[in-house]
Amino acid sequence: MRPTRSRRRMAVAVTIAAASLLTASACSSNGGGKAPDNAAPGITFASGTATPGMAPDGSGPTGMPGMSMPSSSAAAAAPAGPNAVNIDNFAFGPSSLTVKVGTTVTWTNKDEEPHTVVATDGAFRSPTLGNNATYTFTFTKAGSFAYVCSIHPFMHATVVVTQ
């Protein structure tokens, strides 16, 4: 015997209703239709925050364990000569150097970390300097030349070139 159209329609309707009931019951099996709690567990670091190195009150970096942060008043060691700049303790020293046109200035990295010497106006740019590496530049025109370490841009200083 062939099923009639109404029986086929009834079978389709029952199948749809059953699927709807199964879907609805699956969604509400954990308490009234709330989405399941599949969120990843939170991680709390020793600092008491979810971000390593941050202060628990969110006020800023605390440093990494076993490392010391340079103080804001850090000063580089005294330069080796009158036209020399030392890079030490994440600072250029002296922070301002005055020289005459034609003077060659030598930067020496005394830190264990790499640094660069980059003029903010593009006048000069050193390669990355490892420990005890040097960079020299001869100033051929007068002016004030601000420079930074491109790896650590909080490090900045100036060379003032006079006639």
Side-chain angles (χ1 to χ4, degrees):
M1 242 178 140
R2 280 177 50 188
T4 63
R5 270 189 209 192
S6 65
R7 283 189 179 168
R8 277 188 255 166
R9 285 183 184 156
M10 181 64 119
V12 170
V14 168
T15 303
I16 291 173
S20 297
L21 285 172
L22 285 173
T23 302
S25 67
C27 288
S28 65
S29 65
N30 67 344
K34 293 180 185 172
D37 186 13
N38 292 336
I43 298 173
T44 303
F45 292 91
S47 64
T49 68
T51 306
M54 294 300 291
D57 64 0
S59 63
T62 61
M64 297 300 290
M67 294 181 72
S68 61
M69 296 285 287
S71 67
S72 59
S73 62
N83 302 321
V85 176
N86 278 345
I87 306 169
D88 194 21
N89 197 25
F90 290 86
F92 294 107
S95 61
S96 181
L97 177 66
T98 301
V99 299
K100 294 204 177 283
V101 169
T103 301
T104 298
V105 175
T106 301
W107 287 264
T108 304
N109 182 10
K110 300 291 189 178
D111 270 344
E112 295 294 322
E113 297 297 320
H115 294 291
T116 63
V117 179
V118 179
T120 56
D121 69 355
F124 54 89
R125 179 181 196 90
S126 76
T128 300
L129 304 173
N131 180 249
N132 289 321
T134 62
Y135 170 70
T136 59
F137 181 79
T138 302
F139 290 89
T140 58
K141 60 182 179 181
S144 181
F145 298 87
Y147 62 92
V148 300
C149 170
S150 62
I151 302 169
H152 309 101
F154 59 86
M155 296 172 56
H156 49 87
T158 306
V159 175
V160 177
V161 183
T162 61
Q163 292 292 341

